Amino acid sequence: MTHTNLAGLYRPKLLSEVVGQEVVVRTLTNAITKGTLHSSYLFVGNLGSGKTSVCRILAAMETCERTPGLNPCGKCS
């Protein structure tokens, strides 16, 4: 019997897929497109508000080797 992590299965992969965090998505989208991304961000909120998902998306956008920016490929290590 294998264990499937449902949180990881349905986790958004792009900022455009994040629901309910319009201000955060707009802020990070503007920072990426204008090239004004700061060295650190604090993600604070209630349980289940999407902090880890947005952090993973932000890390993928910054470290993607093929298509850095708003649409990371999701296949880079």
Side-chain angles (χ1 to χ4, degrees):
M1 183 172 168
T2 61
H3 175 71
T4 303
N5 183 2
L6 292 178
L9 183 64
Y10 295 109
R11 186 182 301 272
K13 304 291 187 228
L14 300 172
L15 278 180
S16 59
E17 298 173 354
V18 176
V19 177
Q21 298 294 333
E22 290 81 15
V23 175
V24 174
V25 170
R26 186 176 350 113
T27 301
L28 293 177
T29 301
N30 289 340
I32 291 287
T33 55
K34 294 179 181 179
T36 59
L37 197 64
H38 295 285
S39 59
S40 63
Y41 287 90
L42 281 177
F43 291 94
V44 180
N46 296 332
L47 182 68
S49 61
K51 299 177 298 287
T52 303
S53 297
V54 173
C55 288
R56 287 178 180 223
I57 294 169
L58 181 61
M61 288 190 309
E62 278 298 297
T63 60
C64 185
E65 298 169 355
R66 297 179 190 161
T67 57
L70 291 176
N71 297 317
C73 67
K75 297 176 184 167
C76 299
S77 59

